[in-house]
Amino acid sequence: MAVKSLLKQVGAALAIGAALWAQTSSAAPAADERPNFLIIMADDLGYSDVGAYGGEIDTPNIDRLASGGLQFTNFYNSARCSPSRANLLTGRYAHRVGMGENGGSMSVDVRTVAQELKDAHYRTAMVGKWHLTRATPLADPAEHLKWINHQAYLERDFGDRSTYPAARGFETHYGLIWGVSSYFDPFSLVEGFEPVRTVPKDFYLTDALSDRAVSDIESFAKDERPFFMYLAYTAPHWPLHAPEQAIAKYRGRYDGGWEQLHEARYARQVKLGLIDPKTAPKAQLSGDWAQNPEKPWAQLSQAERAQAAAKMPVHAAMIDVMDQGIGRVIDALKRTGQYENTVVVFLADNGASPETMTGTQGYQPGYDRQSETRDGRKIHYGADQPALGSETSMAGIGAYWANAANTPWRYWKAEAYDGGVHTPFIVSWPKGLKLKPGTRVDTLGHIMDIAPTFFELAGVQPRTEGQPPIDGISLASALAGKKTSRGKPLFFEHEGSRAVILDDWKLVARAPGPKSKVYAPWSLYHLKTDRTETRDLIKAEPKRAATMAKLWNEWSTSVHARQRSEP
């Protein structure tokens, strides 16, 4: 069994714990030495927003996880919130569990990693954003706005309770059911199944999630059983909301514009050795987001530059506050004696988002977006943001800032180019990792690999009867310093954006638009010599492209992805 060989490497104590657990199916052993698991997920985080990946934002706690653990440089997600979360919790392609599109309900027939670990005598808890329950708005738009504005309380759930985290293997859940909400007065906040109808005056969601995670860790430390915690922050997903004192720290840092930020981050990544300019040439920034294309910095008026420059300090503040919370969570692990044997992973669900509230694609109040605060103050949409960062603001950073935040990759959230699907991935496990702290790992990994990895480390054999196949692979050997190969292509599809990675090649196409029935055309990149996808070789390698396209078409049919016509 693969876990036995790994457990020998990570220490005799861990092997003893796993053996003891295997002897009984009715109760956990008195001294269960299996590792704890803590997943920390950021939402719409740019690849280079973290200092360890070349960013200028203050993230000392995340950076310490990287310098004390393993820093993966070739790790992927599924480009969008819901599909990536489905990957994470099931180890499967999102399409297999009903989540190929965004915002639906994950299949209740497919077991989650929380259910598997709970059955194996792990304590389980989730803190934060779920986004795997279909949002069910009211039929009357006016009444719906009252509901999401907290101006009317309804005796109804936010969706089907059977799809809530508390029904999917988590003993406790404090966080959001829907995907978007105010940070100061969030909608769809629950404790288990029950709505949390009021919050304190000084409430800020990121801090509340961090504080709850600390509390849960302190509770778990009193139990001899190991635990699994999924801490899913909403930061830095729009709306751009942050405490004023946190924003003030970053004002002025981004006045030079997105090209300046892009240059600085790229240079820092080269200096850190994260990329080689020979094999990862600097890609040109783009503002070509279909829903709301943006003008280059040089074409903006002084007023437009000031408006644009005011956004990134809020984005940075949201990440800074999240990092401070992660620091408190790590301190709780250390204070309770849990840190050494806790596998902590940090990652993002997708790249930074190009979304703004100024386009023509429905970015107005309604569905999951408030029109007023609880006490009736108007929430501002569009370019005019008199109180950016506050409770009355509804804004996103836009395409150019998002592209710069994803340096060195191209594009952004929802695209299969690396700006959408390439995530930071950090693993910390002081007791179990045998590689030198701070080692960089270039193993090709995907968010759906986390569940199989945890299963192996915990000695858990997931149920297979009546279940779709697990698509992810265990990365336990990579954590032990051994060469790990997928042995199969890696596929991507989200609302028409699509890609396949095979060996050192990537075939990729951008999203065609939400209503298009025709795919965008393919491009082909040799990742070994062009890691940043700048030189399209599809005309030079037509046979290779055709072979990879055939593989993708067969896969997309097999997982029942929504089909479109070729251009």
Side-chain angles (χ1 to χ4, degrees):
M1 190 165 132
V3 66
K4 292 182 179 178
S5 62
L6 176 69
L7 291 174
K8 288 180 182 178
Q9 300 168 19
V10 300
L14 183 58
I16 292 171
L20 286 172
W21 170 80
Q23 292 173 6
T24 177
S25 60
S26 60
D32 194 331
E33 294 293 333
R34 291 175 296 162
N36 305 311
F37 300 113
L38 169 60
I39 298 173
I40 304 174
M41 178 181 277
D43 194 349
D44 288 11
L45 182 80
Y47 181 80
S48 57
D49 278 337
V50 175
Y53 286 85
E56 73 296 325
I57 301 170
D58 293 336
T59 56
N61 297 295
I62 298 171
D63 297 346
R64 275 193 288 270
L65 288 176
S67 63
L70 304 181
Q71 183 177 3
F72 282 68
T73 57
N74 198 18
F75 207 87
Y76 287 86
N77 52 45
S78 287
R80 195 80 175 271
C81 304
S82 296
S84 288
R85 292 161 202 274
N87 297 150
L88 173 68
L89 289 169
T90 69
R92 296 165 172 92
Y93 282 115
H95 307 77
R96 293 198 196 275
V97 297
M99 297 304 301
E101 309 288 332
N102 204 47
S105 290
M106 186 168 69
S107 171
V108 297
D109 297 325
V110 180
R111 289 174 61 81
T112 69
V113 62
Q115 288 171 303
E116 299 287 2
L117 291 176
K118 184 179 180 182
D119 285 354
H121 307 298
Y122 268 74
R123 300 294 307 278
T124 61
M126 180 181 172
V127 181
K129 172 178 170 175
W130 179 240
H131 207 191
L132 293 170
T133 292
R134 183 178 300 281
T136 52
L138 301 182
D140 184 336
E143 291 301 310
H144 181 73
L145 278 176
K146 289 181 181 179
W147 187 35
I148 63 174
N149 289 347
H150 302 288
Q151 294 168 348
Y153 294 111
L154 304 178
E155 294 301 326
R156 61 166 293 174
D157 294 323
F158 300 112
D160 182 351
R161 281 194 176 201
S162 70
T163 67
Y164 277 30
R168 304 307 313 278
F170 292 102
E171 296 174 42
T172 62
H173 171 234
Y174 174 78
L176 305 182
I177 296 298
W178 289 22
V180 176
S181 186
S182 166
Y183 285 74
F184 298 108
D185 193 6
F187 179 72
S188 80
L189 183 65
V190 299
E191 176 69 63
F193 294 109
E194 299 306 315
V196 177
R197 291 187 168 180
T198 60
V199 294
K201 186 176 181 180
D202 61 349
F203 183 90
Y204 184 63
L205 181 58
T206 304
D207 285 334
L209 299 180
S210 299
D211 293 344
R212 175 55 179 264
V214 168
S215 176
D216 283 352
I217 287 169
E218 291 172 343
S219 176
F220 285 153
K222 300 172 185 177
D223 196 316
E224 293 178 333
R225 289 177 291 167
F227 67 81
F228 165 57
M229 177 182 287
Y230 173 30
L231 173 53
Y233 286 102
T234 57
H237 193 294
W238 57 269
L240 292 172
H241 282 174
E244 171 55 33
Q245 66 271 23
I247 300 171
K249 176 180 179 180
Y250 291 94
R251 284 206 175 94
R253 290 199 192 186
Y254 302 97
D255 290 354
W258 38 68
E259 286 97 347
Q260 187 178 97
L261 178 64
H262 179 52
E263 293 278 349
R265 289 193 177 187
Y266 183 86
R268 199 176 295 114
Q269 289 171 331
V270 172
K271 185 176 181 180
L272 289 171
L274 286 165
I275 57 174
D276 182 346
K278 294 180 181 178
T279 57
K282 185 163 54 180
Q284 184 176 354
L285 288 183
S286 173
D288 180 24
W289 182 51
Q291 282 88 330
N292 187 27
E294 294 184 334
K295 295 186 294 185
W297 190 261
Q299 296 179 17
L300 299 181
S301 67
Q302 286 300 113
E304 289 171 329
R305 289 184 182 183
Q307 290 174 347
K311 291 182 175 183
M312 276 301 287
V314 187
H315 178 82
M318 296 168 78
I319 295 167
D320 190 317
V321 174
M322 177 179 67
D323 181 82
Q324 292 177 47
I326 291 171
R328 297 198 298 276
V329 171
I330 299 303
D331 286 346
L333 290 173
K334 293 178 177 179
R335 188 173 64 251
T336 58
Q338 303 298 308
Y339 180 67
E340 293 293 315
N341 198 28
T342 298
V343 180
V344 181
V345 301
F346 173 84
L347 77 164
D349 60 350
N350 46 252
S353 171
E355 294 160 296
T356 65
M357 303 302 113
T358 56
T360 59
Q361 301 296 321
Y363 289 97
Q364 297 296 325
Y367 187 58
D368 55 6
R369 296 175 294 277
Q370 297 164 275
S371 62
E372 294 180 349
T373 63
R374 183 185 296 256
D375 56 6
R377 288 170 291 147
K378 179 183 177 182
I379 294 176
H380 295 273
Y381 287 71
D384 182 22
Q385 292 287 334
L388 185 65
S390 75
E391 186 177 5
T392 58
S393 173
M394 182 64 73
I397 57 174
Y400 271 114
W401 282 128
N403 198 172
N406 292 326
T407 301
W409 318 124
R410 295 178 65 187
Y411 303 121
W412 38 70
K413 171 182 178 178
E415 297 290 356
Y417 277 81
D418 272 19
V421 296
H422 204 143
T423 176
F425 187 70
I426 297 167
V427 181
S428 169
W429 184 20
K431 184 176 180 178
L433 297 180
K434 298 304 179 183
L435 293 171
K436 180 181 177 181
T439 295
R440 293 201 180 113
V441 180
D442 65 357
T443 296
L444 177 62
H446 191 278
I447 191 170
M448 64 186 175
D449 299 338
I450 293 174
T453 303
F454 285 4
F455 293 150
E456 182 166 352
L457 297 180
V460 170
Q461 185 65 42
R463 298 185 191 180
T464 57
E465 185 178 354
Q467 300 289 297
I470 291 179
D471 298 294
I473 66 168
S474 173
L475 298 175
S477 59
L479 301 186
K482 295 184 177 180
K483 186 175 181 180
T484 303
S485 175
R486 302 198 74 79
K488 52 187 176 182
L490 190 58
F491 298 102
F492 304 83
E493 192 281 330
H494 176 64
E495 296 183 357
S497 69
R498 52 184 180 157
V500 53
I501 295 176
L502 178 63
D503 300 325
D504 294 324
W505 293 85
K506 181 177 178 183
L507 187 71
V508 60
R510 290 191 64 186
K515 296 182 180 180
S516 176
K517 296 181 180 180
V518 180
Y519 290 116
W522 290 112
S523 291
L524 180 68
Y525 302 98
H526 186 215
L527 299 179
K528 190 172 184 179
T529 59
D530 182 20
R531 193 67 194 83
T532 44
E533 302 170 300
T534 63
R535 297 186 292 270
D536 186 357
L537 299 178
I538 197 162
K539 292 182 179 179
E541 295 273 357
K543 291 184 179 179
R544 185 186 303 275
T547 298
M548 294 176 70
K550 183 175 184 291
L551 290 173
W552 186 90
N553 287 329
E554 291 171 349
W555 167 82
S556 68
T557 301
S558 71
V559 298
H560 305 292
R562 181 155 64 96
Q563 301 296 302
R564 293 168 171 81
S565 301
E566 291 295 336

